């Protein structure tokens, strides 16, 4: 890999990261400002958002750990489970394909 390719990827990654960071900052400061301007309602919204974040974050952590454990167990067992597949029988090729009549050709005299 050349240095220009690596630099281009780093630059693109940096650009995406900065965009995500800016979006997060706007969202956080917007939520803070909304909470300050709406009084008790804003505080309730902030409290609800915090509680929902904590709950969902914990659920996602548990799912992620279970998925990693399943992957590690499959790697340790080195077994891949495959579901059986139903296969329909096909008719014999000779019965399915009808012979075509031969074409007649004229020979010029």
């Amino acid at each position: 890999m050349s240095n220009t390719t690596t630099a281009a990827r780093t630059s693109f990654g940096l650009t995406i990261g900065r965009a995500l960071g800016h979006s997060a900052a706007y969202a956080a400061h917007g939520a803070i400002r909304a909470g300050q301007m709406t009084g008790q309602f804003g505080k309730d919204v902030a409290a609800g958002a915090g509680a929902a974040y904590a709950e969902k974050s914990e659920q996602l952590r548990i799912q992620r750990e279970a998925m990693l454990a399943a992957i590690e167990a499959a790697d340790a067992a080195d077994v891949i489970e495959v579901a059986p597949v139903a296969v329909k029988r096909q008719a014999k090729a000779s019965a399915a394909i009808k012979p075509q009549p031969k074409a007649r050709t004229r020979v010029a005299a």
Side-chain angles (χ1 to χ4, degrees):
M1 219 185 297
S2 68
N3 288 340
T4 56
T5 305
T6 304
R9 285 184 181 165
T10 302
S11 177
F12 182 70
L14 186 60
T15 301
I16 296 297
R18 290 181 57 81
L20 290 172
H22 284 190
S23 297
Y26 280 121
H29 284 277
I32 291 168
R33 187 58 167 254
Q36 290 172 340
M37 297 304 204
T38 56
Q40 185 60 43
F41 175 75
K43 291 176 186 175
D44 291 344
V45 169
Y53 174 83
E55 291 170 9
K56 191 60 171 179
S57 180
E58 182 64 16
Q59 288 174 353
L60 293 173
R61 184 189 62 77
I62 291 169
Q63 289 175 354
R64 186 180 64 247
E65 288 177 357
M67 186 174 32
L68 288 175
I71 290 170
E72 289 174 0
D75 286 345
D78 199 32
V79 174
I80 298 174
E81 292 184 26
V82 179
V85 178
V87 178
K88 291 183 180 179
R89 291 185 161 239
Q90 295 181 347
K92 290 186 177 181
S94 60
I97 301 173
K98 294 180 182 178
Q100 299 293 323
K102 292 184 179 180
R104 295 184 183 196
T105 56
R106 287 189 165 195
V107 178

